[in-house]
Amino acid sequence: EGDALMSTAAAYALHKCKTEYKYENVHILLLPKTEKNHRTHLPSVGKHDFTIEVGPTPQGVIRHDIVEQTEAALHSVLEFLHLSNIELENKTAGATILDRLRNVFPDGVPCYQSAPAVGAKELHGKIQWPTLEDNPNFPAAMVHKSLQDRDYQPLRTGDPLFVGLDGTIIPYDGSHGDEVLLMFVNEGGYYYSSSGTGIGVAVSSRFDLETGNNTKA
């Protein structure tokens, strides 16, 4: 958020992946502004940062379709940067990339953001699953099958959320609101308490192409 260059690159990649590569399940997750010295991720070492995540796929598994989707997103971002540099060098007359994207997204670019944390130790909104007493890194319940591979789909109070090892269905209790959007559903990295155990909660939003700032705060 607040990085106009990278947020515009994301908008360009979103449009290209959907229209030219024909990938429907493409989303932008707009991360909040934070000081670089407070970040623990690799992108924080650069002037601008951009992360591509494609999945879901288990760790250590190479899938052809996932590799192709990753390449499509990466090529789209690099193409945007290349075209932007040409515009800067040549001071191209006529419609710019930004002009074309304004026509595509006249009301701002649709995106998602992490929901606010509700727990004392959470950085972002997360629904934590129960874990084994003797192993905090192993879930004591499974994500319900109706949620698997359905990131950014609504979950409502009372809907199935987890299934206990004995088959008992554990419904969503409304702790983050009557209706929420889930992301990183059954993400392997979040089996570990050090990564923040559980399923991410998202809220829908939009951002401004000129500034990269959230317009639905």
Side-chain angles (χ1 to χ4, degrees), residues 155-169:
L155 175 74
R156 299 174 180 85
T157 301
D159 287 349
L161 177 57
F162 299 119
V163 179
L165 301 183
D166 60 356
T168 302
I169 294 178

Side-chain angles (χ1 to χ4, degrees), residues 121-132:
K121 297 181 179 180
E122 294 177 358
L123 294 176
H124 312 292
K126 267 195 175 178
I127 299 175
Q128 297 191 0
W129 46 54
T131 58
L132 299 179

Side-chain angles (χ1 to χ4, degrees), residues 135-153:
N135 185 358
N137 293 327
F138 196 86
M142 299 174 285
V143 173
H144 193 272
K145 62 184 180 183
S146 63
L147 302 179
Q148 187 62 51
D149 303 328
R150 288 179 55 82
D151 292 62
Y152 302 106
Q153 299 300 311

